[in-house]
Coordinates of all heavy atoms in Angstrom, one line a residue:
W376 N -17.4 17.8 -5.3 CA -16.2 17.8 -4.5 C -16.2 19.0 -3.6 O -15.5 19.0 -2.5 CB -15.0 17.6 -5.3 CG -14.9 16.2 -5.8 CD1 -15.0 15.8 -7.0 CD2 -14.6 15.1 -5.0 NE1 -14.9 14.3 -7.1 CE2 -14.5 13.9 -5.9 CE3 -14.3 14.8 -3.6 CZ2 -14.4 12.6 -5.3 CZ3 -14.1 13.6 -3.1 CH2 -14.1 12.4 -4.0
A387 N -7.8 28.7 4.3 CA -8.4 29.5 3.3 C -9.1 28.6 2.3 O -8.6 27.6 1.9 CB -7.2 30.2 2.6
G406 N -6.0 27.3 -4.6 CA -6.1 28.5 -3.7 C -6.5 28.1 -2.4 O -6.3 29.1 -1.5
H419 N -9.3 18.3 16.3 CA -10.2 17.5 17.4 C -10.0 17.9 18.9 O -10.6 17.5 19.7 CB -10.0 15.9 17.2 CG -10.1 15.5 15.8 ND1 -11.2 15.6 15.1 CD2 -9.2 15.0 15.0 CE1 -11.2 15.1 14.0 NE2 -9.9 14.8 13.9
S426 N -10.0 12.1 24.2 CA -10.3 10.8 23.8 C -9.2 10.0 23.1 O -8.4 10.8 22.6 CB -11.4 11.0 22.7 OG -12.6 11.8 23.2
S433 N 1.7 -3.9 20.7 CA 2.7 -4.7 20.1 C 2.8 -6.0 20.8 O 3.2 -6.1 22.0 CB 4.2 -4.0 20.2 OG 5.1 -5.0 19.9
H448 N -1.1 15.3 20.0 CA -0.7 16.6 19.6 C 0.7 17.0 20.1 O 1.6 17.5 19.5 CB -1.8 17.5 20.1 CG -1.5 18.9 19.9 ND1 -1.5 20.0 20.7 CD2 -1.4 19.6 18.6 CE1 -1.4 21.1 20.0 NE2 -1.3 21.0 18.8
G466 N 8.9 21.4 2.2 CA 9.3 20.7 0.9 C 10.5 19.7 1.0 O 10.9 19.1 0.0
L470 N 12.7 10.8 5.0 CA 12.5 9.3 4.7 C 12.2 8.6 6.1 O 13.1 8.7 7.0 CB 13.7 8.7 3.9 CG 13.4 7.3 3.3 CD1 13.8 7.1 2.0 CD2 14.1 6.3 4.3
P477 N 4.6 3.8 17.7 CA 4.0 5.2 17.5 C 4.8 6.3 17.0 O 4.3 7.1 16.3 CB 3.7 5.5 19.0 CG 3.8 4.2 19.7 CD 4.6 3.3 19.0
I489 N 4.8 20.4 9.3 CA 5.7 21.5 8.9 C 5.8 21.6 7.4 O 6.7 22.4 6.9 CB 7.1 21.2 9.7 CG1 7.7 20.0 9.2 CG2 7.0 21.4 11.1 CD1 9.1 19.8 9.7
H493 N 7.0 13.5 3.4 CA 7.5 12.0 4.0 C 7.5 11.1 2.9 O 6.7 11.0 2.1 CB 6.9 11.8 5.3 CG 5.5 11.5 5.2 ND1 4.8 10.4 4.5 CD2 4.3 12.1 6.0 CE1 3.4 10.5 4.8 NE2 3.2 11.4 5.5
E510 N 18.2 7.2 -2.7 CA 18.8 7.9 -3.9 C 17.7 8.8 -4.5 O 18.0 9.9 -4.9 CB 19.3 6.7 -4.8 CG 20.0 7.3 -5.9 CD 21.6 6.7 -5.6 OE1 21.7 5.9 -4.8 OE2 22.4 7.4 -6.3
L557 N 16.1 -2.9 21.5 CA 16.0 -4.2 21.0 C 17.3 -4.7 20.4 O 17.7 -5.8 20.4 CB 14.9 -4.4 19.9 CG 13.5 -4.2 20.3 CD1 12.6 -4.2 19.1 CD2 13.1 -5.2 21.4
D640 N 0.5 -2.1 7.3 CA 1.8 -1.6 7.9 C 1.8 0.0 7.4 O 1.5 0.2 6.1 CB 2.8 -2.4 7.3 CG 4.2 -2.0 8.0 OD1 4.9 -1.0 7.6 OD2 4.7 -2.6 8.9
G646 N -1.6 1.8 5.0 CA -1.1 2.4 6.3 C -1.2 3.9 6.3 O -1.6 4.4 7.3
Y688 N -11.2 -2.8 22.6 CA -11.3 -1.3 22.1 C -12.5 -1.0 21.4 O -12.5 0.0 20.8 CB -9.9 -1.1 21.3 CG -8.7 -1.0 22.1 CD1 -7.8 -2.1 22.0 CD2 -8.4 -0.1 23.1 CE1 -6.7 -2.2 22.8 CE2 -7.2 -0.2 23.8 CZ -6.4 -1.2 23.6 OH -5.2 -1.2 24.5
S695 N -8.3 -5.3 6.7 CA -7.2 -6.3 6.6 C -7.1 -6.8 5.2 O -7.6 -6.1 4.3 CB -7.4 -7.4 7.6 OG -6.3 -8.1 7.7
A699 N -4.3 -12.5 5.4 CA -4.5 -12.5 6.9 C -5.6 -13.4 7.2 O -5.5 -14.2 8.2 CB -4.5 -11.2 7.4
A762 N -20.2 1.7 -1.6 CA -20.3 2.8 -0.6 C -21.5 2.6 0.2 O -22.6 3.3 -0.1 CB -20.3 4.0 -1.3
N799 N -19.2 -9.1 -19.1 CA -18.3 -10.2 -19.0 C -17.2 -10.3 -20.1 O -16.7 -11.4 -20.5 CB -19.0 -11.6 -18.9 CG -20.0 -11.5 -17.7 OD1 -19.7 -11.0 -16.8 ND2 -21.2 -12.0 -18.0
V803 N -8.7 -4.4 -20.1 CA -7.9 -3.7 -19.2 C -8.7 -2.8 -18.4 O -9.4 -2.0 -19.1 CB -6.7 -2.9 -19.9 CG1 -5.6 -2.5 -18.7 CG2 -5.9 -3.7 -20.9
M815 N -2.8 10.1 -7.3 CA -1.5 10.5 -7.3 C -1.4 11.8 -8.3 O -2.2 11.9 -9.3 CB -0.6 9.4 -8.0 CG -0.7 9.2 -9.4 SD 0.4 7.7 -9.9 CE 2.0 8.3 -9.8
N827 N 4.0 8.7 -19.5 CA 4.3 7.5 -20.5 C 4.0 6.2 -19.9 O 3.4 5.3 -20.6 CB 5.7 7.6 -20.8 CG 6.0 8.8 -21.6 OD1 5.2 9.3 -22.4 ND2 7.2 9.3 -21.5
D850 N -24.8 -6.3 -13.9 CA -25.3 -5.4 -13.0 C -24.3 -4.3 -12.7 O -24.5 -3.5 -11.7 CB -25.6 -6.2 -11.6 CG -26.7 -7.2 -11.7 OD1 -27.6 -6.9 -12.5 OD2 -26.5 -8.3 -11.0
Q985 N 9.8 -26.7 -22.0 CA 9.6 -28.1 -21.6 C 10.5 -28.4 -20.4 O 10.1 -29.2 -19.4 CB 10.0 -29.1 -22.7 CG 9.8 -30.6 -22.6 CD 8.3 -30.9 -22.3 OE1 7.4 -30.1 -22.6 NE2 8.0 -31.8 -21.2
Q989 N 9.7 -29.8 -16.6 CA 10.2 -30.9 -15.9 C 10.8 -30.5 -14.5 O 10.5 -31.1 -13.6 CB 11.4 -31.4 -16.8 CG 11.0 -32.4 -17.8 CD 11.9 -32.4 -19.0 OE1 13.1 -31.9 -18.9 NE2 11.6 -33.3 -20.0
V991 N 9.7 -28.0 -12.6 CA 8.6 -27.8 -11.8 C 8.1 -29.1 -11.3 O 7.7 -29.2 -10.1 CB 7.6 -26.9 -12.5 CG1 6.3 -26.7 -11.7 CG2 8.2 -25.6 -12.7

Side-chain angles (χ1 to χ4, degrees):
W376 288 106
H419 306 300
S426 306
S433 172
H448 182 237
L470 188 136
I489 61 176
H493 61 65
E510 193 104 19
L557 293 179
D640 188 285
Y688 294 106
S695 192
N799 305 319
V803 191
M815 74 187 291
N827 293 330
D850 298 324
Q985 191 50 33
Q989 278 161 3
V991 170

